[in-house]
Amino acid sequence: MARVADQLIETLRNDIRSGVLRPGDQLEEAALAERFGVSRTPVREAVRSLVDSGLLETKPRKGALVRVLSAKELIDLFEVAAELEGMACRLAAERLTAGKAAALEDALQFCRKAADANDQDGYAKANLAFHQAIHNAAGNSRLIEQIEQLAGHINPYRAMPFQMRGRLQKSTEEHAAIAEAILENTGTQADELMRDHMMLQGQRLPMILEAIEPR
């Protein structure tokens, strides 16, 4: 039973991290049990664990929901993520191999294609792939572990700024500058560009959350 619950936890965590489940989405026990072909007991155990980790919250008469973070919580998380992502860029520039460079360039092209098509969902995936290519190039498992832990909290919000007019092209331009700095082995510049990129995104989020908040 514990192993089943662990599998559910990992699947739901990935759903939240990838944006399949969005902030405020409700998780119904019956629907989850049917989806995974299990009883409600491991579902309840998985939900409890995700509530304890801060990814879910419970509300009276609504049950479990994907937790909606406050503007202050988001800014705090993006401040930490910006530093870690910047460090990943610096390490990637120092340790870049031909294979990792090719993967980074491919990820950037993925971003460009999605931006040119104004495909917000496609760009959200391309954005994560671009950052993942940098993490892989950094080659530090502990750093990646910390970034992934934060990703579970911030990824549901990362695509929100893409709704703003012109943001996909602007984000791609920022990615291109970051990639160029990494490819040219200028780690300090790549670090600074990534931190600015992450915080610019993070600072937009409170405005977007306010705009979509139910009145």
Side-chain angles (χ1 to χ4, degrees):
M1 187 65 69
R3 191 175 65 155
V4 173
D6 288 342
Q7 292 172 345
L8 295 180
I9 290 167
E10 187 60 26
T11 299
L12 292 173
R13 184 180 284 120
N14 286 335
D15 282 353
I16 295 169
R17 186 183 294 137
S18 65
V20 173
L21 288 172
R22 299 178 181 272
D25 280 357
Q26 187 173 358
L27 281 74
E28 297 181 356
E29 284 186 8
L32 289 174
E34 182 178 353
R35 173 187 171 187
F36 295 111
V38 298
S39 69
R40 293 195 184 192
T41 301
V43 169
R44 291 191 190 107
E45 189 176 335
V47 167
R48 262 197 313 271
S49 177
L50 291 170
V51 168
D52 290 342
S53 70
L55 291 177
L56 300 181
E57 61 184 339
T58 56
K59 290 187 176 181
R61 296 183 297 279
K62 288 189 176 181
L65 308 167
V66 179
R67 186 163 174 249
V68 178
L69 301 177
S70 69
K72 177 63 167 62
E73 287 175 311
L74 282 170
I75 292 298
D76 287 349
L77 285 167
F78 270 91
E79 283 178 347
V80 178
E83 293 298 322
L84 295 179
E85 293 273 3
M87 180 181 177
C89 286
R90 190 172 69 251
L91 292 177
E94 295 169 358
R95 302 172 179 179
L96 197 64
T97 64
K100 296 296 192 300
L104 180 59
E105 290 175 322
D106 287 345
L108 180 59
Q109 282 301 111
F110 188 16
C111 291
R112 284 182 173 137
K113 288 180 181 178
D116 289 343
N118 197 32
D119 179 0
Q120 292 181 18
D121 290 339
Y123 193 87
K125 295 176 183 177
N127 178 58
L128 295 180
F130 177 79
H131 284 265
Q132 186 63 57
I134 294 172
H135 305 161
N136 293 341
N140 185 308
S141 60
R142 290 294 185 181
L143 175 61
I144 293 171
E145 182 181 310
Q146 294 299 312
I147 290 174
E148 288 180 347
Q149 184 175 353
L150 280 175
H153 295 282
I154 69 172
N155 278 9
Y157 298 87
R158 291 175 85 151
M160 287 184 178
F162 301 153
Q163 300 170 23
M164 300 175 69
R165 185 176 181 182
R167 181 55 198 159
L168 298 188
Q169 291 294 343
K170 180 59 177 172
S171 178
T172 302
E173 291 170 7
E174 292 167 8
H175 282 177
I178 292 166
E180 182 179 359
I182 292 173
L183 293 168
E184 292 181 353
N185 301 112
T186 52
T188 300
Q189 183 182 8
D191 182 342
E192 292 175 356
L193 288 169
M194 177 58 84
R195 283 190 281 113
D196 288 345
H197 171 69
M198 291 293 295
M199 285 312 302
L200 194 60
Q201 182 185 45
Q203 289 162 4
R204 286 191 178 95
L205 290 169
M207 292 185 293
I208 293 174
L209 288 176
E210 183 178 354
I212 66 174
E213 186 177 67
R215 299 297 178 184

